[in-house]
Amino acid sequence: MGAKVVTHIERVDAATIAGLAQAGVATVHEAQGRTGLLASHMRPIYSGARIAGSAVTISAPPGDNWMIHVAIEQLKEGDILVLSPTSPCEDGYFGDLLATSAMARGCIGLVIDAGVRDVRDLTQMGFPVWSKTVFAQGTVKATLGSVNVPVVCAGVMVNPGDVIVADDDGVCIVPRETAVAVLEKAREREANEEAKRARLRAGELGLDIYNMRGRLAELGLRYE
Amino acid sequence: MGAKVVTHIERVDAATIAGLAQAGVATVHEAQGRTGLLASHMRPIYSGARIAGSAVTISAPPGDNWMIHVAIEQLKEGDILVLSPTSPCEDGYFGDLLATSAMARGCIGLVIDAGVRDVRDLTQMGFPVWSKTVFAQGTVKATLGSVNVPVVCAGVMVNPGDVIVADDDGVCIVPRETAVAVLEKAREREANEEAKRARLRAGELGLDIYNMRGRLAELGLRYE
Amino acid sequence: MGAKVVTHIERVDAATIAGLAQAGVATVHEAQGRTGLLASHMRPIYSGARIAGSAVTISAPPGDNWMIHVAIEQLKEGDILVLSPTSPCEDGYFGDLLATSAMARGCIGLVIDAGVRDVRDLTQMGFPVWSKTVFAQGTVKATLGSVNVPVVCAGVMVNPGDVIVADDDGVCIVPRETAVAVLEKAREREANEEAKRARLRAGELGLDIYNMRGRLAELGLRYE
Amino acid sequence: MGAKVVTHIERVDAATIAGLAQAGVATVHEAQGRTGLLASHMRPIYSGARIAGSAVTISAPPGDNWMIHVAIEQLKEGDILVLSPTSPCEDGYFGDLLATSAMARGCIGLVIDAGVRDVRDLTQMGFPVWSKTVFAQGTVKATLGSVNVPVVCAGVMVNPGDVIVADDDGVCIVPRETAVAVLEKAREREANEEAKRARLRAGELGLDIYNMRGRLAELGLRYE
Amino acid sequence: MGAKVVTHIERVDAATIAGLAQAGVATVHEAQGRTGLLASHMRPIYSGARIAGSAVTISAPPGDNWMIHVAIEQLKEGDILVLSPTSPCEDGYFGDLLATSAMARGCIGLVIDAGVRDVRDLTQMGFPVWSKTVFAQGTVKATLGSVNVPVVCAGVMVNPGDVIVADDDGVCIVPRETAVAVLEKAREREANEEAKRARLRAGELGLDIYNMRGRLAELGLRYE
Amino acid sequence: MGAKVVTHIERVDAATIAGLAQAGVATVHEAQGRTGLLASHMRPIYSGARIAGSAVTISAPPGDNWMIHVAIEQLKEGDILVLSPTSPCEDGYFGDLLATSAMARGCIGLVIDAGVRDVRDLTQMGFPVWSKTVFAQGTVKATLGSVNVPVVCAGVMVNPGDVIVADDDGVCIVPRETAVAVLEKAREREANEEAKRARLRAGELGLDIYNMRGRLAELGLRYE
């Protein structure tokens, strides 16, 4: 159970990842059976980012960001760092220097169930972060953690190489093994929604489109 | 105590509603004796919206958005949907499809003591939402609730047809019966404030404008 | 232990304050040994503000904003109001009228461990506020508090005349006595960081720049 | 909308109230259609109390307990005080002196969406309190509130004279008008549960007693 | 990804489970490298319970306790039910009837990241529960979930058959595969602690027993 | 600003401390002008403890309990340890071994704005703790902190040697310099309350005892 770094992880192909980014969090979450959503306290530091990438995971002690340096060496182009502290923490593990380093190694974003700082700089750099809070509190480099091991982040199991999808709605995890199938379902869902959107926009009611009136009456809904 | 839909509700006239929207949450709240304010966790998904409308209320089970479809049929031009779950819930009851449908029926916004999703789309559509959280978590359509019944939403009693005033400060409820009187008081308050604003801007002190020095001294305030 | 107003307080010179503003919260917090940071719930009402100023402190009863009027008389050009309620409170102590008055007396911002309202107006006026929440709830003027006494605000001791540094990362307090020394350290830190930023941007790793590999191995980090 | 005291309120008969106390919170809540339950943060200061009584309601400003003195004059034998602050507050509005006074006037408990203090004394006196928190913070007597007006307490509308049922599970409100009918349903429910309890105790499964297997299969539950 | 029930799960032998119960949460958590601890909001409904058992897991929709009936059929002597809702929920999924049924089938306790009710009855029955809250809110039986699938409960991955250790300190999960090894380490730890406890009780300092003074001085700790 | 241990601190005489313990938290808090109360999240691990003692303070990094060992060496008979983490933390810094050691050195309790574990053992040992939470999460010994420096604990400034008063109502800090005066006022308050308690018990109203009716009428309270 000691501290370790797994240097080789499997990743999903780039096209699938791009497709999941384009589908977005809500659609992907639905497409995989309403699973994979990180807790609602995970919010973006700025609006409008919409990304997907392979998870490089970090299990770090509270208030200790040493392992982020270790993780950055493991990054490949298009990866997303995912940090889960070993106990609840709000400290600012990550700021503009680490973002500079991570971006230089291909990283496109950070998901952290703790705090982040230098958010003005990160915004200007276009480096999106989904975090529990914004907090400038500094951290130490004293205790080991692990990189690329399974972690539970904000209530969801994340394995290294899983696809992270993140946008203004939050963050959703797609297990590596099912990513292709989930993308397919997401596309079906989108196609299906497009037709419904047009009918709803025209003023048709969901009650009619989805044939709900019968079941509502059967369950006893009364109109007064 | 069964599930029901009240199909006819009284509404306040459009001019009064427009006046209340223009007065805004803080002024309206003061004008009606510092009442009616929803809890501070009710935040807008984007800045700058400033609306008022008649409440079409929804009492929905946790994680079940079926009644929103039922409520949309009851909407009239300018209405605002108000959803209160029957127990605390963060799920994303509402997204872009429901917003498309609600807008097509005249709805101008949503107040929900739960979660909302597709916030990027909703922002682009210009459909404002005040919610407890942003969360993509999907919901089911399995259990009945009620539409246009009195609900307590974020700590405040809301009757169908009450006027909902919402802006960047939050959400305030104006009972239908007192809306005209409240608007009148709000306007008096605004007029009164305008004069004071000018004096304060010129550097005069509230201590003098409001004659506070005597009472402060009487209660024992010491200057050192 | 009665209510009082201290009319004369020492302030730090303007150049030091300007330097601290420019350094920003995260750097200043680090420069003074990772101290002085207000709790993470203190968030700005709009993004992009970046200020520093001398603290004029207010200890106020819950739901009673009378002492803000008293404090405004004590303001000098460039000051920042710091309000701590005597027990937890979310009420909207401060809005556009008080901001108009405070600005007319030279105030450049507010830090309040409670609520604020009229945030749309405050944003348009360019008056930045860091607060616990946005809440329109009105307050009374019935009970005394104190001005320019030491207060604990959001977990940090603030003495009148201390330098308040505030930006998108939050709020940091610099004790008056150490402000010059802290600024010097902040500048050293910035200079030091600039060199590292360039190396990191070029793809060099923190592991190498900071010589971490030896210590990591010594503590037992394994690569698999 | 000014401050007022309603001196005459209707109460439910003592036998019905006693019956509701005996049924307890969970059963009463179910019997009235899963309504009336105060938020889960309302916890008893000691275990084992199980009471019901008529609500004498108090709407009080944050940090101001003046109206409790006013309310105590309105108490009749068997009443329960219900206090809701006009904005969120944790202060200790109530302690052993007020409890002594309230008990002397027939009061059998307090439900308060704020703080309480002297809990050791209250426990020894056998005066049960359900509160949001235990907090010794003192309050003032400066601003008016109202007594025996409708209030929303911990998310539920309470009218004066409604029956308050409280035990280790929390607090449930039974509207005065429906108290007799709710008690009848509660008793039916208890009778019904007794039979089921015996079968369950004997090892029979709810799956069989309630005939659930068919519907589960129909919805697609798979056994592996 | 549909709803399912896994009917056969592997369990750890009874002696190992008994040993882990005896070691308790804090020791077991340390023995497995400071992992496995559920979030601190998981509190016992009464003090003094100290159990361990094999997890029968339940993934249930918010506000829907149907799957508990399904899970009870899968219980064996000494098992512990572990329920995780698919989104955050406080509802009272479980009360005295379900406890009667579960006990009749050998269940010795419940761990639920949601609410529980009838806590007075449960206490009298000696059926311990660790929950997020106590809340009488009723639930429906309308939507499927799964039994004996991996779940994340209060921040920790739980596989069916894992050992649940629970006492006044909270709840710790021991993976089935490592339970024997963890027990061995727990016993070593206890033996080791016993010797230290005696020395500490005699007034010797941890500073000396653990030889800390040198390292403290080396890192720069100053005595004034 | 480095880590340090102050080895000599001033303490208040034992008789004053004993008097403050006997007065209790609520009375002491009132006697010193409603100041000094730690936040309401500081709760005792068991009911009935009622202590006072001199503060030996600890400023510790999150998740690092090394400094507790250092602090124990500084304890004198009757002292109370007060630990404030440098950023928010719930970890279990303290358990039965440290309690054994602290008790052996004269310590009578712990106040910690973080977590505690082994609460069953601590209860049996009669070692009271007021903490933010109960959490078994283990901590490291890697980073320095300070002992006997001023700290802000749960919102209140604590200087080493200040008197800590703690009971079922929470924790109150009495500055060393004012302890004698505060005790005197506390006793006056108790004497004063005793007379009122008798009158209230006899059914007299606070409205009359405190002559409130006139002022209530003057402010406009209406009876209906």
Side-chain angles (χ1 to χ4, degrees), chain E residues 56-110:
Chain E
V56 166
T57 64
I58 306 169
S59 171
D64 192 312
N65 73 349
W66 206 2
M67 286 302 113
I68 300 181
H69 286 282
V70 175
I72 286 173
E73 190 177 26
Q74 306 304 321
L75 288 166
K76 289 200 187 312
E77 190 65 35
D79 283 352
I80 295 176
L81 287 168
V82 176
L83 187 149
S84 176
T86 53
S87 72
C89 186
E90 299 191 345
D91 292 356
Y93 283 76
F94 192 93
D96 82 303
L97 280 184
L98 282 168
T100 300
S101 180
M103 287 179 85
R105 307 291 287 205
C107 185
I108 62 168
L110 167 69

Side-chain angles (χ1 to χ4, degrees), chain F residues 84-144:
Chain F
S84 176
T86 52
S87 72
C89 187
E90 298 191 345
D91 293 354
Y93 282 77
F94 192 94
D96 82 303
L97 280 184
L98 282 168
T100 299
S101 180
M103 287 180 85
R105 308 291 288 204
C107 185
I108 62 167
L110 167 70
V111 171
I112 178 168
D113 194 8
V116 63
R117 64 184 187 180
D118 299 331
V119 293
R120 180 189 175 114
D121 295 324
L122 298 180
T123 302
Q124 285 169 352
M125 294 161 71
F127 187 85
V129 178
W130 287 258
S131 72
K132 181 176 169 181
T133 192
V134 173
F135 196 32
Q137 180 69 42
T139 50
V140 298
K141 293 174 194 13
T143 306
L144 298 185

Side-chain angles (χ1 to χ4, degrees), chain C residues 54-143:
Chain C
S54 301
V56 166
T57 64
I58 306 170
S59 172
D64 192 312
N65 73 351
W66 207 2
M67 285 302 114
I68 300 181
H69 286 281
V70 174
I72 286 174
E73 188 177 28
Q74 306 305 320
L75 287 167
K76 290 201 188 311
E77 189 66 33
D79 283 352
I80 295 176
L81 287 168
V82 176
L83 187 149
S84 176
T86 53
S87 72
C89 187
E90 298 190 346
D91 292 356
Y93 284 77
F94 191 93
D96 80 303
L97 279 184
L98 282 168
T100 299
S101 179
M103 287 180 86
R105 308 291 287 205
C107 186
I108 62 167
L110 167 70
V111 171
I112 178 167
D113 195 9
V116 63
R117 64 184 186 181
D118 300 330
V119 293
R120 179 189 176 114
D121 295 326
L122 298 180
T123 302
Q124 286 168 351
M125 293 161 70
F127 187 86
V129 177
W130 286 258
S131 72
K132 182 177 169 180
T133 192
V134 173
F135 197 32
Q137 180 69 42
T139 51
V140 298
K141 293 173 192 19
T143 306

Side-chain angles (χ1 to χ4, degrees), chain A residues 40-117:
Chain A
S40 66
H41 65 248
M42 298 299 289
R43 300 299 305 144
I45 58 168
Y46 58 85
S47 293
R50 186 168 184 153
I51 63 170
S54 302
V56 166
T57 64
I58 306 170
S59 171
D64 192 313
N65 74 349
W66 206 3
M67 286 302 113
I68 300 181
H69 286 282
V70 175
I72 286 174
E73 189 177 27
Q74 306 304 319
L75 288 166
K76 290 202 188 309
E77 191 65 35
D79 283 351
I80 295 177
L81 288 167
V82 176
L83 187 150
S84 176
T86 53
S87 72
C89 188
E90 298 191 346
D91 293 356
Y93 284 76
F94 191 93
D96 81 303
L97 280 183
L98 282 168
T100 299
S101 179
M103 286 180 86
R105 308 291 287 205
C107 185
I108 61 167
L110 167 70
V111 171
I112 178 167
D113 195 8
V116 64
R117 63 183 186 181

Side-chain angles (χ1 to χ4, degrees), chain B residues 55-73:
Chain B
V56 166
T57 64
I58 306 169
S59 171
D64 192 313
N65 74 349
W66 205 3
M67 285 302 114
I68 300 180
H69 287 280
V70 175
I72 286 173
E73 189 177 27

